[in-house]
Amino acid sequence: MTDQEGVDWIPPGADLSRPSAARIYDYLLGGAHNLAADRAVAQKLEAIQPQVATVARRNRAFLRRVVRFMLEQGIRQFLDLGSGIPTVGNVHEVAQAVDAAAKVVYVDYEPVAVAHSLMLLKDNPHAGAFEADATDTAAVLGSGPVNDLLDLTQPVGLLAITLGHYLPDVSRIFATYRDALAPGSHLALTHLTNDFAILRDPKIAETMRSTQDSIYPRSRDEVLALFDGFELVEPGLTTSANWRPDRLAAVVDPEEDGLYAGVGVKLVKP
């Protein structure tokens, strides 16, 4: 018998044979929707780099800040790719606290993440979630929730938080999403890199290869290329903790941060 049996939050038919990044991230954020195999991987990562949970929390805080920033710029519809398992400060909660009619669509290929998102959103007419692989861009962009809730002819806030480093063909995939967005749309992303000491140890990537989600750290220039056709807002490409930190937050040494982070705006063609 495994700890998967009798757990009522696991949707029927979910493949739990390997740990997943979404459930590992949930554990690092202090969530309860993870299994023993996920916790074992997370603990291996913490043994390699004791600050990995801190990196995860900084990343989540970045997400909340960029949603607030986009709302200030007039964005009222959001597409969250690789959204993960719901936790404190979900995109729709942040957005709809400002505008109750703000639209949010969550996409993930992790069944647990989607099941919990749907449960959370069952009485929310302005938000939806569905199961899809972000690499299948046609399926995502042509999905019912995207077509029903979002208007891609108007500016959208595209969120790709800790997504790109799980994608071997990231340039093509991001280009497709960028091309689908209207001028004035915003793209926010974070991406693992080996440029900084905190997450440089090759044992991190080796450990993640035992899960559903291998990682592909990229350099600053490679991450910058993911914003092609978008103009980065200040402070440009930085790290997750240092992108427009809350006023009382201390600046974090990039060597101790580990994730590139930025927000770009799609240029209006002349």
Side-chain angles (χ1 to χ4, degrees):
M1 178 175 288
T2 71
D3 69 344
Q4 298 171 9
E5 297 178 8
V7 181
D8 58 9
W9 49 262
I10 298 176
D15 180 6
L16 304 176
S17 59
R18 298 177 71 190
S20 81
R23 298 194 304 269
I24 293 167
Y25 188 53
D26 175 73
Y27 171 80
L28 292 173
L29 290 173
H33 297 99
N34 48 78
L35 301 169
D38 307 308
R39 295 189 287 275
V41 172
Q43 289 158 9
K44 286 180 182 178
L45 293 172
E46 290 179 305
I48 298 165
Q49 174 45 262
Q51 296 301 310
V52 69
T54 299
V55 171
R57 289 193 295 271
R58 289 172 179 160
N59 181 71
R60 189 70 185 180
F62 168 81
L63 171 64
R64 294 192 290 270
R65 295 199 304 278
V66 299
V67 172
R68 292 197 298 267
F69 171 78
M70 290 182 186
L71 288 160
E72 291 168 0
Q73 310 312 305
I75 298 293
R76 291 296 184 271
Q77 49 180 358
F78 299 86
L79 178 57
D80 189 354
L81 301 175
S83 51
I85 295 170
T87 186
V88 176
N90 296 299
V91 174
H92 72 280
E93 294 170 333
V94 177
Q96 292 175 357
V98 173
D99 185 341
K103 309 293 197 301
V104 179
V105 175
Y106 296 105
V107 185
D108 207 293
Y109 81 158
E110 161 56 62
V112 171
V114 176
H116 279 273
S117 296
L118 289 171
M119 187 185 315
L120 195 65
L121 301 172
K122 64 180 180 177
D123 297 319
N124 191 324
H126 300 306
F130 67 102
E131 185 176 339
D133 191 325
T135 63
D136 190 348
T137 55
V140 172
L141 294 170
S143 69
V146 168
N147 286 317
D148 292 344
L149 287 171
L150 306 183
D151 179 359
L152 297 185
T153 70
Q154 298 299 314
V156 171
L158 180 64
L159 306 169
I161 309 301
T162 57
L163 174 67
H165 52 244
Y166 296 117
L167 308 178
D169 191 14
V170 66
S171 296
R172 176 190 62 81
I173 293 163
F174 271 51
T176 302
Y177 285 115
R178 293 194 309 266
D179 289 347
L181 299 180
S185 293
H186 288 54
L187 165 63
L189 66 83
T190 57
H191 198 295
L192 181 68
T193 182
N194 285 336
D195 290 353
F196 305 125
I198 188 168
L199 298 178
R200 188 178 293 150
D201 193 320
K203 291 194 292 292
I204 292 175
E206 292 170 11
T207 300
M208 288 302 295
R209 280 196 287 272
S210 68
T211 75
Q212 301 176 40
D213 307 288
S214 294
I215 56 175
Y216 306 88
R218 293 185 171 92
S219 68
R220 178 180 179 83
D221 286 347
E222 289 174 309
V223 176
L224 275 172
L226 301 179
F227 288 100
D228 187 37
F230 283 59
E231 183 175 286
L232 284 164
V233 304
E234 290 295 331
L237 188 65
T238 181
T239 56
S240 56
N242 293 326
W243 192 89
R244 300 187 178 220
D246 293 331
R247 192 171 359 183
L248 298 180
V251 173
V252 176
D253 183 345
E255 294 294 333
E256 297 300 321
D257 204 345
L259 292 171
Y260 277 124
V263 176
V265 182
K266 188 168 187 175
L267 302 175
V268 177
K269 293 182 179 179

